């Protein structure tokens, strides 16, 4: 079994925390039905003004899933702000890979182009959080010095 090495650089935890602040800022409005209605209107207006398309009118089912996603992401963001750990960056990078995959799927199936703005950030934070783990793995495989001496 291949073991990943924990990224030991202090800058890595700054990336984990920065991605959490981004998530909190972007998703807090999705956490309740009332704030979601405001965010949905704001995003539609932004998309309209930039020529990137508008969001569909919300219905109870869409609102429920937006609220579930918003609630979970807010809790996850607060955890990474209060107690950022390298493992949080690994798991967040994996989650961002999943989010970006589903965003790409939605874009390929006609979602408003406004989604590209969020897709780009997901990919960027995903890469920033996963590459240091892969460097440690590659060092193990090649016999090079790992990023840290703490192995998982």
């Amino acid at each position: 079994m291949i073991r990943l090495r924990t990224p030991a650089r202090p800058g890595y935890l700054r990336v984990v925390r920065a991605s959490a602040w981004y998530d909190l800022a972007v998703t807090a409005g999705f956490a309740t039905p009332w704030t979601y209605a405001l965010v949905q209107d704001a995003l539609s207006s932004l998309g309209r003004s930039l020529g990137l398309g508008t969001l569909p009118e919300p219905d109870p089912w869409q609102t429920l899933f937006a609220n579930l996603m918003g609630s979970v992401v807010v809790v996850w963001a607060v955890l990474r702000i209060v107690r950022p750990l390298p493992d949080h960056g690994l798991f967040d990078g994996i989650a961002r890979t999943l989010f970006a995959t589903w965003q790409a799927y939605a874009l390929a199936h006609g979602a408003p182009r406004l989604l590209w703005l969020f897709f780009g950030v997901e990919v960027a934070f995903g890469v920033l959080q996963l590459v240091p783990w892969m460097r440690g793995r590659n060092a193990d495989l090649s016999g090079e010095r790992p990023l840290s001496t703490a192995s998982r």
Side-chain angles (χ1 to χ4, degrees), residues 2-67:
I2 298 171
R3 291 180 175 226
L4 298 176
R5 300 270 183 191
T6 303
R9 297 185 177 128
Y12 184 74
L13 294 181
R14 285 192 293 274
V15 170
V16 171
R17 188 174 271 136
S19 74
W21 279 110
Y22 165 80
D23 286 348
L24 187 61
V26 169
T27 61
F30 286 80
T32 73
W34 308 278
T35 54
Y36 175 63
L38 297 172
V39 168
Q40 200 273 349
D41 287 343
L43 288 173
S44 284
S45 294
L46 177 64
R48 188 178 310 105
S49 68
L50 296 175
L52 299 175
T54 61
L55 301 179
E57 287 300 314
D59 62 34
W61 193 245
Q62 175 190 12
T63 300
L64 169 66
F65 279 97
N67 296 158

Side-chain angles (χ1 to χ4, degrees), residues 57-104:
E57 287 300 314
D59 62 34
W61 193 245
Q62 175 190 12
T63 300
L64 169 66
F65 279 97
N67 296 158
L68 292 172
M69 182 272 306
S71 298
V72 169
V73 174
V74 163
V75 171
W76 174 237
V78 170
L79 171 67
R80 290 177 293 136
I81 289 166
V82 172
R83 188 161 187 226
L85 297 172
D87 288 349
H88 295 162
L90 173 63
F91 286 104
D92 192 60
I94 293 166
R96 287 182 189 284
T97 300
L98 292 169
F99 269 60
T101 299
W102 308 139
Q103 289 172 340

